Amino acid sequence: MNDQSLASASRCPIDHQALARAAAPNGCPVSAGGAAFNPFEGAYMQAPAEYLRWAREQEPVFWSPQLGYWVVTRYEDVKAVFRDNILFSPSVALEKITPATPEVAQILEGYGYAMRRTMVNEDEPDHMARRRLLTDAFLPERLMDYEPTVRALARQYMDRFIDQGRADLVAEMFYEIPLNIALKFLGVPDEGAEQLRQFAVAHTLNTWGRPTPQEQLEIADNVGKFWQVAQKILADMMAQPDGEGWMYESIRQHHRHPDIVTASYLQSMMMAILAAAHETTSNATANAFMTLLTHRKAWESICANPALIPNAVEECLRVAGSIIAWRRMATADTTVGGVAIPQGSKLLLVQASANFDTRHFENPDEVDLYRENAVEHLTFGYGAHQCMGKNIGRMQMRVFLEEFVRRLPHIHLVEGQQFEFLPNTSFRGPAQLWVQWDPAQNPERVRPGAMQEPAPFYIGPPAKDSIARTVVVREKHAEGTDLLRFVLADPHGEALPAWTAGAHVDLIAGGFRRKYSLCGRADDRHSLQVVVQREAQGRGGSQHFCDHIAAGSTLQLSGPKNLFGLDESARHFVLIAGGIGITPMVAMADRLRRLGKSYELHYAGRSRQHMALLARLEQDHADHLHLYIKADGQRMDLGRLLATVDEGTRVYACGPDRLIAALETLSEQWPANVLHFEHFSAESAVLDPSKEHAFVAQLKDSNVSVTVAADQTLLQALQAAGFDVPCDCGEGLCGTCEVAVVEGEGDHRDKVLTKAERAANRRLMACCSRAAGDKIVLAL
Ligand code: HEM
Ligand code: FES
C-alpha cells in the first residue's frame, strides 16, 4: 500500500472535528472523546469497559453527538439514574436508536406492526400496577421447578457432542436451551424456534443497532414477520387461556383486570419478552464460558471447587454481562454526576462500564471468583424495573457450568478464534464459541460412575458461604491460655488476597463459620494469621477450630473483608483493646508505625497468660504500648486516657461489650466520627416471634411493599421477594446487609452503628433490625 492509499484507508467517514465543534445540549463544548464515541464499531463490543476507561477517569458523563445521547459511565451515576424512574423515564428503552427511514415505517405498517409499551419501557403508575400483577411466576420458589428441566436438557445436548472433541457451544447448546426454557416459562409452543433466531437478530439490530438504510429494509421485513408470528402465538393462547406459563398468567390477569393488563400490552409484551427471556441468557452463558476459559485459573478453580459456581456466575455477569447498556430519558432539567442534563435528554447507561468502576469494585479488571460484592453488578439494571427474570438467567448459567465442570473440565478455547459480536449498543454475546478437548480424557470414560451428582439448589443470588477459598494451616502456635495462633496459606503456594489493617476473614470448617481479625503482616501475601480464643462456654466454633484443626489441615476461608478500616488522615490515634480484641489493633498499630503516625496502644487483659501476641507487641510497638494486667492490679482508666480527645483524634476499639459501652458513653462528649469499634459477637440474634410485631417495608426505589411477618427477619422477607440484599454474619455484626432508611423509625439491634448513627436513623441492618412502628420506607 502506498502512502496515499494508506491515508485514504485510515480516513474516517465521520468529521470528528465538526462534531466536536458543536455544543452539547447543555451548552458545553463536546469533548474529543465524546465526539469519537461510536458503539457500533468493533472496539466497544470487543471490550466495552476498556473502550470507556477514559470516560470513567476523565469525563464520566459525556455527550455523544453521533448518538444524540448522554453517556453515563460510573457506577454511582448509573445506579442513581436507574434508581429514579420518575425523573429518568424508561420510555426510550426500546426506541429505535437509529431512526427509521420512511420506507421502513411503511414496511412495518404493512405487517400491522404496533409495538407499544411493554413492562420494560412503561412509566409509572401503570408499570408497577402491571408488574405487581405479573410478578409471582418469577419468585425464586416458583423457579425451582425449572432446574431439573434445564439440567436434563444440558445433559441431553452435551451427550450429542461429548465424544466429538470440538464444538461451537453457542450453536450446539447455549442458543437453544435458553430458548427452550424461555418458551416453557412463557407457555409458548416451541415449533418455529429456528425462525425466531433470525427474528431476534433483526429485533436487536432494529432497536439497538445502526443498520444502513438498505439493511434497514431487510431488517424491517423480519421485524414485521416476528411481530406477526408473536401475534399469532398470542391469539392461539388467548383462544385457550387455561395453559401453564407466564404468558397464560398474563392473559388471565388481562381478563381479570382488562384496564391494567390491556390487550395492546399483551401484544407488545409477547414480542419483547421472547427476546428478553432468551437472548439475554444465551449471551450471558456464552460470555461466562468465554470469560472463564480465557481466565484459565478461574475455570480451574470452579472445576476444583464447584461451590464457587454461583459467585462465578455473578462475577461473569459483572465482567461480561449480556446487557451492556440501557436507556432512560430525563423528564426534567437535572444533573447526573455533576453534569447539567436538560429535560428531554436521552441517556445511555453503560452498565458494562459501571461494573468496572474502581470506586465500587476493588481491582475491577481482575476476574475474582471470591469477590464478595460481585452480585452488586448492574447488568440486571436496578430499582423498579430491575430484571424480573434475573433468577431464571442465573439458574441456567449455574446448571450449565455445573454440568461442564463435571463432564468436560478439560475443555479449552480453540486458539486464535476471533469473537464476533452483533454491532449494537446493548446486547452482547459472541456469535460462536469454539472449544476443544480430548474425549479420551472425559471423566465419564476415565472413571465411569465416579462423578458426583450436583445437588438441587435454592434459586437466587449466591449464598455467602459459597464464596470461600481453600487454605491450609501452615503453623499452629499456643499463644497463652486457650489462645491459638493459626498461620494459613494457599495449598499451592499461590499469593493470597491483599488486606488492610482492621480486616477480618471468616473461617469455615466442621459446619462452623466464625470471623477472626487478621493479625499477621499485611505485606506478606503468602500467609494470613489469626488468633482463636477457645471459648468453653461458646457455641462450639472456637472449640472446633482449636481442638480439631491442626497444622496441615485444610479449611475454607472467606474474605478478607474490612469493615473496620483506619481513617489514615487523622493526626493522632488511640487504639484500645480488651482481651482477644487485640488482633485487629496489632495490624492497625503496624500500619500506623509504617505511616509514621502518632499513636498509642492500650491493651487490657486478665493476666499475661490470657493476652495474645505480647512478644510481638513488645518488640514492635514498645514505645507506644500500655498494658493493663488485671492479675497485677492494673486497670485501664478510660476517662483519664481519653480526657483530651479532639477532632484530629481517632479512637479505635475492640473488646468485650462492657468496654465498648463505656467508650460509647464517653464519646457522647466527643466530636462526631472520633470513635470506631468492633464487637466480638451479638448478644442474641435469635428471633423470638412472640416478642415481635409484623411491619411493612416500603421499598422506594422499586416501588414495592414487602410485609415482614413477626417470625421473619427483614432480610428474609426481602430475599423471598427477590431482592438481592447481601448478608454475611446474619447477626448484626458486620454491616453487609445495610439498607438505607428513607422514612420511619428503625428498631436497631445491630452492633455496627454508633448511638449517633442510630439516632440519625439513615441506615439499618436488615438481618437483625426491624421497624419500630408498622412501616419503614427503605431506599431499595
Ligand atoms: C428487564 C437484563 C434475563 C425478563 C431487564 C433489564 C435488564 C435485563 C438490563 C432492564 C432493567 C432496568 O430497566 O432497570 C437481563 C439479563 C438477563 C435477563 C442480563 C440474563 C442473564 C431475563 C429473563 C427474563 C427476563 C430470563 C424472563 C423470563 C425481564 C423483564 C424485564 C426485564 C420482564 C422488565 C422488568 C420491568 O421493567 O419491570 N432485564 N435479563 N429477563 N427482564 Fe431481564
Ligand atoms: Fe452482618 Fe447483617 S449481615 S450485619
Side-chain angles (χ1 to χ4, degrees):
M1 206 186 257
N2 60 32
D3 283 356
Q4 207 181 350
S5 59
L6 199 119
S8 63
S10 65
R11 196 179 304 137
C12 176
I14 291 156
D15 184 348
H16 293 285
Q17 283 178 348
L19 285 173
R21 279 194 298 276
N26 63 359
C28 292
V30 176
S31 69
F37 176 71
N38 180 354
F40 310 108
E41 274 177 359
Y44 172 81
M45 263 296 152
Q46 285 296 332
E50 189 53 37
Y51 182 69
L52 282 168
R53 187 186 291 275
W54 70 272
R56 283 194 303 285
E57 281 163 13
Q58 296 159 30
E59 198 187 357
V61 178
F62 67 86
W63 172 250
S64 161
Q66 292 196 49
L67 217 54
Y69 273 68
W70 291 96
V71 182
V72 186
T73 62
R74 279 189 187 168
Y75 187 92
E76 276 314 317
D77 296 336
V78 170
K79 191 164 177 177
V81 175
F82 270 131
R83 177 180 285 133
D84 191 340
N85 65 323
I86 306 296
L87 182 56
F88 300 103
S89 158
S91 56
V92 290
L94 300 183
E95 196 173 274
K96 280 163 67 59
I97 206 156
T98 302
T101 59
E103 291 84 347
V104 165
Q106 229 172 17
I107 295 174
L108 290 175
E109 210 179 309
Y111 282 102
Y113 181 77
M115 186 75 159
R116 303 269 182 275
R117 293 279 168 247
T118 75
M119 186 89 73
V120 81
N121 59 355
E122 181 86 283
D123 281 317
E124 304 303 346
D126 295 349
H127 162 259
M128 256 311 150
R130 286 170 182 160
R131 184 163 164 140
R132 284 195 195 108
L133 286 179
L134 303 178
T135 207
D136 281 5
F138 290 96
L139 292 178
E141 70 266 17
R142 290 270 306 267
L143 299 179
M144 307 274 288
D145 300 346
Y146 292 92
E147 189 252 332
T149 315
V150 177
R151 200 175 292 284
L153 282 171
R155 291 181 182 175
Q156 186 188 321
Y157 274 67
M158 286 178 81
D159 286 343
R160 294 181 190 163
F161 59 74
I162 195 154
D163 291 321
Q164 284 172 8
R166 193 179 158 95
D168 167 11
L169 295 182
V170 175
E172 300 271 1
M173 184 164 169
F174 296 159
Y175 191 81
E176 280 183 27
I177 299 183
L179 176 57
N180 193 311
I181 295 297
L183 296 178
K184 275 200 175 54
F185 176 78
L186 299 174
V188 171
D190 58 5
E191 60 260 19
E194 183 42 44
Q195 205 186 13
L196 286 176
R197 173 170 206 160
Q198 209 183 346
F199 292 164
V201 169
H203 176 55
T204 305
L205 288 175
N206 182 48
T207 314
W208 295 282
R210 176 127 303 175
T212 61
Q214 188 51 39
E215 286 165 337
Q216 283 203 35
L217 298 180
E218 197 188 322
I219 287 171
D221 210 42
N222 271 317
V223 170
K225 286 183 187 147
F226 189 4
W227 173 261
Q228 288 200 334
V229 168
Q231 298 320 304
K232 164 86 175 57
I233 297 172
L234 179 65
D236 291 348
M237 292 172 87
M238 288 184 85
Q240 289 195 324
D242 49 358
E244 267 187 38
W246 188 64
M247 275 315 288
Y248 281 113
E249 289 184 26
S250 305
I251 291 167
R252 291 194 283 270
Q253 290 291 32
H254 160 66
H255 290 305
R256 275 180 224 128
H257 310 274
D259 47 336
I260 302 178
V261 183
T262 61
S264 128
Y265 186 71
L266 286 180
Q267 288 171 342
S268 300
M269 198 66 202
M270 187 72 223
M271 179 158 152
I273 195 71
L274 281 171
H278 162 227
E279 273 202 287
T280 48
T281 309
S282 285
N283 284 334
T285 307
N287 288 342
F289 275 75
M290 185 175 70
T291 304
L292 293 168
L293 292 170
T294 309
H295 297 83
R296 188 77 204 172
K297 260 197 181 155
W299 176 260
E300 282 165 8
S301 299
I302 60 166
C303 291
N305 179 14
L308 286 172
I309 289 175
N311 206 46
V313 166
E314 295 313 310
E315 181 67 346
C316 289
L317 286 166
R318 182 187 74 81
V319 297
S322 49
I323 298 286
I324 57 173
W326 210 242
R327 288 179 281 165
R328 293 288 191 261
M329 186 183 75
T331 57
D333 289 350
T334 183
T335 57
V336 176
V339 174
I341 304 287
Q343 178 180 13
S345 296
K346 295 174 186 175
L347 298 106
L348 185 75
L349 313 176
V350 190
Q351 295 127 292
S353 168
N355 288 345
F356 275 72
D357 190 341
T358 42
R359 290 155 207 82
H360 194 83
F361 295 104
E362 253 176 61
N363 301 322
D365 295 327
E366 271 176 34
V367 175
D368 176 2
L369 305 187
Y370 303 100
R371 189 184 296 283
E372 298 228 353
N373 66 347
V375 72
E376 290 170 16
H377 63 75
L378 294 173
T379 300
F380 291 128
Y382 176 77
H385 284 268
Q386 196 191 42
C387 177
M388 288 169 85
K390 63 186 178 183
N391 288 324
I392 307 180
R394 279 173 170 153
M395 177 262 287
Q396 293 186 62
M397 292 168 74
R398 175 167 173 180
V399 172
F400 293 146
L401 285 170
E402 283 180 352
E403 291 302 316
F404 269 83
V405 304
R406 248 164 38 91
R407 302 185 70 190
L408 285 174
H410 50 311
I411 51 169
H412 281 263
L413 285 176
V414 169
E415 269 178 36
Q417 66 183 308
Q418 293 289 318
F419 298 113
E420 282 172 22
F421 303 91
L422 212 58
N424 77 100
T425 54
S426 300
F427 278 60
R428 180 174 184 270
Q432 297 178 324
L433 184 70
W434 281 100
V435 292
Q436 62 185 28
W437 65 96
D438 175 4
Q441 300 302 318
N442 289 1
E444 55 210 61
R445 281 203 205 176
V446 181
R447 291 173 277 116
M451 285 196 308
Q452 268 196 344
E453 279 287 312
F457 53 84
Y458 186 77
I459 289 166
K464 261 283 170 323
D465 300 26
S466 63
I467 312 172
R469 71 182 72 229
T470 302
V471 288
V472 62
V473 177
R474 205 168 67 192
E475 295 162 37
K476 181 181 176 187
H477 300 281
E479 274 285 318
T481 308
D482 287 339
L483 292 169
L484 286 144
R485 181 164 57 90
F486 292 84
V487 181
L488 310 167
D490 179 86
H492 309 291
E494 302 269 341
L496 290 163
W499 59 280
T500 48
H504 70 268
V505 291
D506 282 24
L507 296 189
I508 306 156
F512 297 100
R513 182 184 182 110
R514 295 289 181 270
K515 293 185 186 312
Y516 295 103
S517 296
L518 291 172
C519 59
R521 310 269 177 203
D523 54 2
D524 173 5
R525 292 292 303 273
H526 285 86
S527 77
L528 296 172
Q529 295 195 34
V530 297
V531 176
V532 180
Q533 175 169 288
R534 188 179 187 285
E535 289 175 61
Q537 307 305 320
R539 287 176 291 156
S542 66
Q543 290 172 43
H544 179 84
F545 292 127
C546 291
D547 301 349
H548 300 290
I549 303 290
S553 304
T554 54
L555 62 164
Q556 297 300 108
L557 176 143
S558 139
K561 190 167 182 181
N562 199 343
L563 300 164
F564 192 37
L566 269 174
D567 168 8
E568 295 179 353
S569 65
R571 182 185 48 75
H572 180 66
F573 296 80
V574 183
L575 309 180
I576 298 181
I580 190 66
I582 189 63
T583 47
M585 295 302 151
V586 178
M588 288 188 176
D590 286 352
R591 175 71 187 160
L592 294 171
R593 192 179 65 161
R594 175 174 274 230
L595 291 175
K597 288 279 183 180
S598 152
Y599 69 97
E600 48 196 278
L601 171 54
H602 302 273
Y603 180 17
R606 242 195 295 165
S607 72
R608 279 188 81 90
Q609 277 320 57
H610 290 90
M611 294 168 79
L613 305 167
L614 279 180
R616 164 145 137 64
L617 287 167
E618 282 167 343
Q619 183 188 317
D620 294 347
H621 301 284
D623 297 346
H624 306 259
L625 181 66
H626 306 267
L627 297 178
Y628 307 88
I629 302 169
K630 199 171 171 200
D632 298 347
Q634 301 157 339
R635 68 177 262 286
M636 185 151 61
D637 180 349
L638 290 175
R640 192 182 56 78
L641 280 184
L642 296 163
T644 55
V645 163
D646 62 17
E647 274 175 3
T649 307
R650 291 288 173 277
V651 177
Y652 287 86
C654 183
D657 286 350
R658 263 176 301 113
L659 175 74
I660 306 295
L663 284 165
E664 275 208 275
T665 308
L666 277 177
S667 72
E668 284 163 14
Q669 312 302 323
W670 302 344
N673 207 28
V674 164
L675 177 63
H676 300 263
F677 54 80
E678 196 168 58
H679 277 268
F680 296 157
S681 64
E683 274 141 31
S684 170
V686 183
L687 195 69
D688 178 354
S690 66
K691 295 192 180 138
E692 307 295 353
H693 67 274
F695 61 96
V696 170
Q698 193 178 318
L699 312 181
K700 188 161 178 270
D701 296 348
S702 313
N703 200 356
V704 165
S705 289
V706 173
T707 301
V708 185
D711 61 352
Q712 226 184 357
T713 65
L714 170 59
L715 183 73
Q716 286 165 340
L718 292 173
Q719 287 177 339
F723 289 88
D724 302 341
V725 180
C727 165
D728 191 346
C729 68
E731 50 181 333
L733 293 172
C734 71
T736 307
C737 63
E738 177 178 308
V739 287
V741 179
V742 181
E743 213 181 294
E745 203 186 322
D747 172 2
H748 298 278
R749 304 177 186 184
D750 63 279
K751 300 277 185 183
V752 179
L753 301 178
T754 61
K755 269 190 189 164
E757 286 168 332
R758 286 177 183 201
N761 197 40
R762 295 227 185 82
R763 305 146 66 198
L764 182 130
M765 302 309 139
C767 68
C768 58
S769 300
R770 308 177 70 81
D774 296 338
K775 187 174 122 182
I776 192 152
V777 185
L778 304 173
L780 201 68

